[in-house]
Amino acid sequence: MSLLSDLINLNLSGTTKKIIAEYIWIGGSGMDLRSKARTLDGVVSDPQKLPKWNYDGSSTGQAPGEDSEVILYPQAIFKDPFRRGNNILVMCDAYTPAGEPIPTNKRYNAAKIFSHPDVAAEVPWYGIEQEYTLLQKDLKWPIGWPVGGYPGPQGPYYCGAGADKAFGRDVVDSHYKACLYAGINISGINGEVMPGQWEFQLWVARYILERITEIAGVVVSFDPKPIEGDWNGAGAHTNYSTKSMRNDGGYEVIKKAIGNLQLRHKEHIAAYGEGNERRLTGRHETADIHTFSWGVANRGASVRVGQGHGESWERLLRRQKACFQHGSLCCHLHDCRDNHSLETVRDRRHSSALVGYGDFPPLSLLEDVFISSGIAMVVL
């Protein structure tokens, strides 16, 4: 008699050429991920050769009941770490039957802007760092914490090791390996300041995390302040740079970008999503939500510029307006002459922010990329 685990782990490649494709898309909140599976006749490596599909948008908050059909356009293929074999995960964008992107499809405008010649000439780089908190399923309380109580004060948990400091490492390492298996270019992980809180460096990676926590029987939270009191909140930071920032003299470009960020501080805060006022208090490595500031190596500033190394001052910004759900603008500038970057974050639930353009035409176009994609935003 086969066990359920045996059937779940069946290798299909020895008996059929058919594969399973899990189609993934972003739901109506801009934060939730949805997916469903279909059978394909064989291996497909080009997303353009995958069939389009549809779903009931009235059940995801993306279409009215009287005209509910939404069409999925495959955009990227990843190896499936859950079914393994030749099975795949497929990241999709959502369109109306008439071929128009639906309002939550921010990636459509992002793709247009990234292909703009002025943007391409700036060779933008970015890498996203998503923080999250692992919660006990029934209690919605961080794993490793005493039920109804609190662990010792913050201090030993950041990048910590040991059963009393690193809670949930099995989930985190499973996610890390699953992302690498899938072909996602994840560059690292680390434990965060609050115990039970972790970070990885988005959408398919987040989908894989949701699936792994489902298996593990825990809940992943992207709330900006999951636990009130003397505990750090969490954000999502994007290391970001343009060629002008990385070249000699890039520090002046970065400072001008910071100045433009300050001009639109209130508009950006309004676009970052709900809950940031609970996190951005001026405490726990954040700036006050109402006041713009920046400084070198200052984790309590709106924008943090890293310390210089040698003669290099082309750095990465960190704007600590980040909401946990990956949205607000965070900037954290590395000081390596060959690898400088600007770290930005926006709340994915509010990814159509009002922003202003700066004095650099190619860079100003990049600003739209981040807003349109819901990944990150920077005003330049």
Side-chain angles (χ1 to χ4, degrees):
M1 175 71 71
S2 293
L3 299 175
L4 185 60
S5 59
D6 297 329
L7 297 174
I8 289 173
N9 293 315
L10 274 178
N11 184 352
L12 302 179
S13 60
T15 57
T16 180
K17 292 183 178 180
K18 295 182 183 295
I19 68 165
I20 301 171
E22 190 78 25
Y23 279 43
I24 304 165
W25 70 95
I26 301 166
S29 72
M31 274 294 299
D32 58 313
L33 285 161
R34 309 292 180 119
S35 73
K36 61 178 185 174
R38 68 180 299 162
T39 304
L40 303 178
D41 289 333
V43 174
V44 180
S45 57
D46 182 355
Q48 301 305 312
K49 294 181 179 179
L50 288 169
K52 296 175 183 175
W53 207 6
N54 62 68
Y55 66 92
D56 174 14
S58 68
S59 295
T60 63
Q62 293 170 296
E66 64 273 14
D67 186 17
S68 64
E69 191 166 281
V70 179
I71 311 301
L72 293 172
Y73 287 39
Q75 300 296 324
I77 294 174
F78 302 88
K79 294 173 64 177
D80 188 338
F82 304 103
R83 296 187 176 104
R84 289 171 285 187
N86 292 322
N87 303 300
I88 56 176
L89 304 177
V90 182
M91 186 66 203
C92 301
D93 287 345
Y95 289 79
T96 69
E100 296 295 324
I102 65 172
T104 51
N105 180 0
K106 311 301 181 183
R107 292 156 50 92
Y108 172 79
N109 284 331
K112 289 199 303 182
I113 296 168
F114 269 122
S115 63
H116 191 287
D118 289 341
V119 174
E122 277 294 327
V123 195
W125 298 348
Y126 60 89
I128 302 164
E129 303 172 16
Q130 174 70 70
E131 296 171 349
Y132 58 95
T133 306
L134 296 174
L135 304 177
Q136 301 171 55
K137 182 175 65 173
D138 297 326
L139 303 174
K140 299 299 173 63
W141 196 243
I143 62 171
W145 288 36
V147 176
Y150 298 87
Q154 293 183 156
Y157 308 110
Y158 173 68
C159 296
D164 59 343
K165 303 178 190 70
F167 308 133
R169 191 183 294 278
D170 52 348
V171 172
V172 174
D173 277 352
S174 296
H175 176 243
Y176 195 177
K177 290 183 177 180
C179 286
L180 292 173
Y181 177 93
I184 295 170
N185 189 21
I186 185 169
S187 60
I189 58 170
N190 63 266
E192 275 297 333
V193 176
M194 188 183 81
Q197 185 184 97
W198 294 82
E199 172 179 297
F200 65 90
Q201 308 187 344
L202 146 94
W203 278 115
V204 176
R206 187 183 286 182
Y207 173 81
I208 291 173
L209 178 61
E210 294 270 12
R211 288 283 303 273
I212 288 173
T213 54
E214 174 188 327
I215 294 168
V218 298
V219 175
V220 58
S221 170
F222 298 103
D223 189 272
K225 185 74 172 179
I227 302 296
E228 296 298 327
D230 194 18
W231 305 100
N232 276 36
H237 317 123
T238 301
N239 297 289
Y240 169 78
S241 73
T242 65
K243 184 169 66 174
S244 296
M245 291 177 178
R246 296 189 294 269
N247 287 344
D248 289 342
Y251 186 45
E252 295 305 313
V253 179
I254 289 168
K255 288 196 295 184
K256 197 158 190 176
I258 294 173
N260 283 309
L261 289 170
Q262 183 172 7
L263 295 175
R264 293 300 185 104
H265 178 68
K266 289 183 179 180
E267 290 92 333
H268 296 159
I269 288 294
Y272 295 158
E274 298 94 348
N276 284 308
E277 72 283 352
R278 294 183 285 116
R279 177 174 182 256
L280 302 176
T281 62
R283 301 180 63 212
H284 305 109
E285 301 182 13
T286 71
D288 179 79
I289 194 170
H290 302 294
T291 306
F292 183 91
S293 61
W294 75 280
V296 175
N298 182 359
R299 289 182 177 270
S302 305
V303 176
R304 186 175 88 238
V305 179
Q307 290 283 3
H309 296 295
E311 297 178 356
S312 176
W313 280 87
E314 289 77 11
R315 320 175 181 194
L316 174 151
L317 298 156
R318 169 180 251 167
R319 183 161 190 192
Q320 295 180 319
K321 300 306 179 202
C323 183
F324 201 88
Q325 300 105 341
H326 193 228
S328 36
L329 177 57
C330 251
C331 309
H332 173 182
L333 286 171
H334 275 330
D335 290 15
C336 176
R337 180 164 291 278
D338 295 324
N339 185 19
H340 323 120
S341 52
L342 165 68
E343 189 171 345
T344 62
V345 190
R346 283 207 65 261
D347 189 302
R348 283 196 175 273
R349 293 185 298 187
H350 295 269
S351 51
S352 55
L354 173 67
V355 295
Y357 292 106
D359 299 327
F360 311 101
L363 303 186
S364 66
L365 284 168
L366 291 175
E367 172 191 48
D368 281 342
V369 173
F370 301 121
I371 295 170
S372 300
S373 66
I375 291 178
M377 175 178 68
V378 60
V379 183
L380 296 168

Short mmCIF file of all heavy atoms in Angstrom, two decimals, residues 76-103:
data_model
loop_
_atom_site.label_atom_id
_atom_site.label_comp_id
_atom_site.label_asym_id
_atom_site.label_seq_id
_atom_site.Cartn_x
_atom_site.Cartn_y
_atom_site.Cartn_z
N ALA A 76 7.75 33.91 -17.21
CA ALA A 76 9.03 33.31 -16.81
C ALA A 76 8.80 31.90 -16.30
O ALA A 76 7.76 31.60 -15.71
CB ALA A 76 9.72 34.16 -15.74
N ILE A 77 9.80 31.04 -16.53
CA ILE A 77 9.72 29.63 -16.13
C ILE A 77 10.80 29.33 -15.12
O ILE A 77 11.95 29.76 -15.26
CB ILE A 77 9.89 28.72 -17.37
CG1 ILE A 77 8.70 28.88 -18.32
CG2 ILE A 77 10.03 27.25 -16.95
CD1 ILE A 77 8.86 28.12 -19.62
N PHE A 78 10.44 28.56 -14.08
CA PHE A 78 11.38 28.10 -13.06
C PHE A 78 11.17 26.62 -12.81
O PHE A 78 10.04 26.12 -12.95
CB PHE A 78 11.19 28.88 -11.75
CG PHE A 78 11.34 30.37 -11.89
CD1 PHE A 78 10.27 31.17 -12.22
CD2 PHE A 78 12.59 30.95 -11.71
CE1 PHE A 78 10.41 32.54 -12.36
CE2 PHE A 78 12.75 32.33 -11.84
CZ PHE A 78 11.66 33.12 -12.18
N LYS A 79 12.21 25.92 -12.43
CA LYS A 79 12.06 24.53 -12.05
C LYS A 79 11.22 24.44 -10.78
O LYS A 79 11.35 25.27 -9.89
CB LYS A 79 13.44 23.90 -11.83
CG LYS A 79 14.30 23.80 -13.07
CD LYS A 79 15.71 23.33 -12.74
CE LYS A 79 15.70 21.93 -12.18
NZ LYS A 79 17.09 21.44 -11.92
N ASP A 80 10.37 23.44 -10.70
CA ASP A 80 9.48 23.28 -9.55
C ASP A 80 10.18 22.48 -8.45
O ASP A 80 10.42 21.27 -8.60
CB ASP A 80 8.21 22.56 -10.00
CG ASP A 80 7.14 22.52 -8.92
OD1 ASP A 80 7.49 22.65 -7.73
OD2 ASP A 80 5.95 22.37 -9.27
N PRO A 81 10.52 23.12 -7.32
CA PRO A 81 11.22 22.39 -6.26
C PRO A 81 10.32 21.47 -5.45
O PRO A 81 10.81 20.66 -4.66
CB PRO A 81 11.77 23.51 -5.37
CG PRO A 81 10.81 24.64 -5.56
CD PRO A 81 10.33 24.54 -6.98
N PHE A 82 9.02 21.57 -5.65
CA PHE A 82 8.07 20.74 -4.90
C PHE A 82 7.75 19.45 -5.66
O PHE A 82 7.82 18.36 -5.10
CB PHE A 82 6.80 21.54 -4.62
CG PHE A 82 7.07 22.82 -3.89
CD1 PHE A 82 7.05 24.04 -4.56
CD2 PHE A 82 7.38 22.82 -2.54
CE1 PHE A 82 7.32 25.22 -3.91
CE2 PHE A 82 7.66 23.99 -1.87
CZ PHE A 82 7.64 25.21 -2.56
N ARG A 83 7.42 19.56 -6.94
CA ARG A 83 7.15 18.36 -7.75
C ARG A 83 8.42 17.80 -8.38
O ARG A 83 8.46 16.64 -8.72
CB ARG A 83 6.13 18.71 -8.84
CG ARG A 83 4.77 19.11 -8.30
CD ARG A 83 3.76 19.26 -9.42
NE ARG A 83 2.43 19.56 -8.92
CZ ARG A 83 1.86 20.76 -8.95
NH1 ARG A 83 2.52 21.79 -9.47
NH2 ARG A 83 0.66 20.95 -8.48
N ARG A 84 9.41 18.65 -8.57
CA ARG A 84 10.70 18.28 -9.13
C ARG A 84 10.54 17.64 -10.51
O ARG A 84 9.56 17.91 -11.20
CB ARG A 84 11.48 17.42 -8.14
CG ARG A 84 11.97 18.21 -6.94
CD ARG A 84 12.56 17.33 -5.87
NE ARG A 84 11.54 16.61 -5.12
CZ ARG A 84 11.78 15.88 -4.04
NH1 ARG A 84 13.03 15.76 -3.60
NH2 ARG A 84 10.81 15.28 -3.41
N GLY A 85 11.51 16.86 -10.93
CA GLY A 85 11.46 16.31 -12.29
C GLY A 85 11.50 17.44 -13.32
O GLY A 85 12.22 18.42 -13.15
N ASN A 86 10.73 17.28 -14.37
CA ASN A 86 10.64 18.30 -15.42
C ASN A 86 9.52 19.30 -15.18
O ASN A 86 9.24 20.14 -16.05
CB ASN A 86 10.44 17.63 -16.79
CG ASN A 86 11.66 16.84 -17.23
OD1 ASN A 86 12.79 17.28 -17.01
ND2 ASN A 86 11.43 15.68 -17.82
N ASN A 87 8.86 19.22 -14.04
CA ASN A 87 7.74 20.10 -13.75
C ASN A 87 8.23 21.52 -13.48
O ASN A 87 9.38 21.74 -13.08
CB ASN A 87 6.96 19.56 -12.55
CG ASN A 87 6.48 18.14 -12.80
OD1 ASN A 87 5.74 17.89 -13.73
ND2 ASN A 87 6.95 17.21 -11.99
N ILE A 88 7.37 22.49 -13.72
CA ILE A 88 7.80 23.89 -13.71
C ILE A 88 6.84 24.80 -12.94
O ILE A 88 5.65 24.48 -12.78
CB ILE A 88 7.96 24.44 -15.14
CG1 ILE A 88 6.65 24.27 -15.95
CG2 ILE A 88 9.12 23.77 -15.86
CD1 ILE A 88 6.69 24.88 -17.35
N LEU A 89 7.39 25.92 -12.45
CA LEU A 89 6.61 27.04 -11.96
C LEU A 89 6.62 28.11 -13.04
O LEU A 89 7.65 28.36 -13.66
CB LEU A 89 7.22 27.61 -10.68
CG LEU A 89 7.43 26.66 -9.51
CD1 LEU A 89 8.12 27.39 -8.35
CD2 LEU A 89 6.12 26.05 -9.05
N VAL A 90 5.48 28.75 -13.25
CA VAL A 90 5.36 29.74 -14.33
C VAL A 90 4.84 31.05 -13.75
O VAL A 90 3.71 31.11 -13.24
CB VAL A 90 4.40 29.26 -15.43
CG1 VAL A 90 4.34 30.28 -16.57
CG2 VAL A 90 4.82 27.89 -15.97
N MET A 91 5.67 32.08 -13.77
CA MET A 91 5.22 33.41 -13.33
C MET A 91 4.44 34.05 -14.47
O MET A 91 4.92 34.11 -15.61
CB MET A 91 6.41 34.28 -12.95
CG MET A 91 6.01 35.61 -12.34
SD MET A 91 5.19 35.40 -10.75
CE MET A 91 4.24 36.93 -10.63
N CYS A 92 3.23 34.55 -14.15
CA CYS A 92 2.34 35.09 -15.17
C CYS A 92 1.93 36.53 -14.86
O CYS A 92 1.93 36.94 -13.69
CB CYS A 92 1.07 34.24 -15.26
SG CYS A 92 1.36 32.51 -15.67
N ASP A 93 1.58 37.26 -15.90
CA ASP A 93 0.95 38.56 -15.77
C ASP A 93 -0.51 38.43 -16.16
O ASP A 93 -0.88 37.54 -16.95
CB ASP A 93 1.63 39.59 -16.67
CG ASP A 93 3.00 40.00 -16.16
OD1 ASP A 93 3.29 39.72 -14.98
OD2 ASP A 93 3.77 40.59 -16.93
N ALA A 94 -1.35 39.31 -15.63
CA ALA A 94 -2.80 39.21 -15.81
C ALA A 94 -3.32 40.30 -16.75
O ALA A 94 -2.96 41.47 -16.60
CB ALA A 94 -3.50 39.28 -14.46
N TYR A 95 -4.18 39.90 -17.69
CA TYR A 95 -4.74 40.79 -18.69
C TYR A 95 -6.24 40.56 -18.83
O TYR A 95 -6.76 39.49 -18.49
CB TYR A 95 -4.08 40.54 -20.06
CG TYR A 95 -2.65 41.01 -20.16
CD1 TYR A 95 -1.61 40.26 -19.61
CD2 TYR A 95 -2.32 42.19 -20.80
CE1 TYR A 95 -0.30 40.68 -19.69
CE2 TYR A 95 -1.01 42.63 -20.89
CZ TYR A 95 0.00 41.87 -20.33
OH TYR A 95 1.30 42.30 -20.43
N THR A 96 -6.93 41.56 -19.36
CA THR A 96 -8.34 41.39 -19.72
C THR A 96 -8.43 40.54 -20.99
O THR A 96 -7.44 40.39 -21.71
CB THR A 96 -9.01 42.75 -19.98
OG1 THR A 96 -8.46 43.30 -21.20
CG2 THR A 96 -8.78 43.71 -18.83
N PRO A 97 -9.60 39.99 -21.29
CA PRO A 97 -9.75 39.25 -22.55
C PRO A 97 -9.44 40.09 -23.79
O PRO A 97 -9.06 39.54 -24.82
CB PRO A 97 -11.22 38.82 -22.52
CG PRO A 97 -11.56 38.73 -21.06
CD PRO A 97 -10.80 39.86 -20.42
N ALA A 98 -9.55 41.41 -23.65
CA ALA A 98 -9.23 42.30 -24.78
C ALA A 98 -7.73 42.56 -24.91
O ALA A 98 -7.30 43.26 -25.83
CB ALA A 98 -9.98 43.62 -24.64
N GLY A 99 -6.94 42.02 -23.98
CA GLY A 99 -5.49 42.18 -24.07
C GLY A 99 -4.94 43.38 -23.34
O GLY A 99 -3.77 43.73 -23.51
N GLU A 100 -5.76 44.01 -22.48
CA GLU A 100 -5.29 45.15 -21.70
C GLU A 100 -4.80 44.67 -20.33
O GLU A 100 -5.46 43.82 -19.70
CB GLU A 100 -6.42 46.16 -21.50
CG GLU A 100 -6.91 46.80 -22.79
CD GLU A 100 -5.86 47.65 -23.46
OE1 GLU A 100 -5.08 48.30 -22.72
OE2 GLU A 100 -5.78 47.64 -24.70
N PRO A 101 -3.68 45.19 -19.82
CA PRO A 101 -3.24 44.79 -18.48
C PRO A 101 -4.25 45.23 -17.43
O PRO A 101 -4.75 46.35 -17.48
CB PRO A 101 -1.90 45.52 -18.30
CG PRO A 101 -1.95 46.67 -19.27
CD PRO A 101 -2.78 46.20 -20.42
N ILE A 102 -4.56 44.36 -16.48
CA ILE A 102 -5.50 44.75 -15.44
C ILE A 102 -4.79 45.69 -14.46
O ILE A 102 -3.56 45.77 -14.45
CB ILE A 102 -6.08 43.51 -14.72
CG1 ILE A 102 -4.99 42.75 -13.94
CG2 ILE A 102 -6.76 42.58 -15.71
CD1 ILE A 102 -5.54 41.64 -13.06
N PRO A 103 -5.52 46.42 -13.62
CA PRO A 103 -4.88 47.44 -12.76
C PRO A 103 -3.77 46.92 -11.86
O PRO A 103 -2.83 47.64 -11.57
CB PRO A 103 -6.06 47.98 -11.94
CG PRO A 103 -7.24 47.80 -12.83
CD PRO A 103 -6.99 46.50 -13.55
#
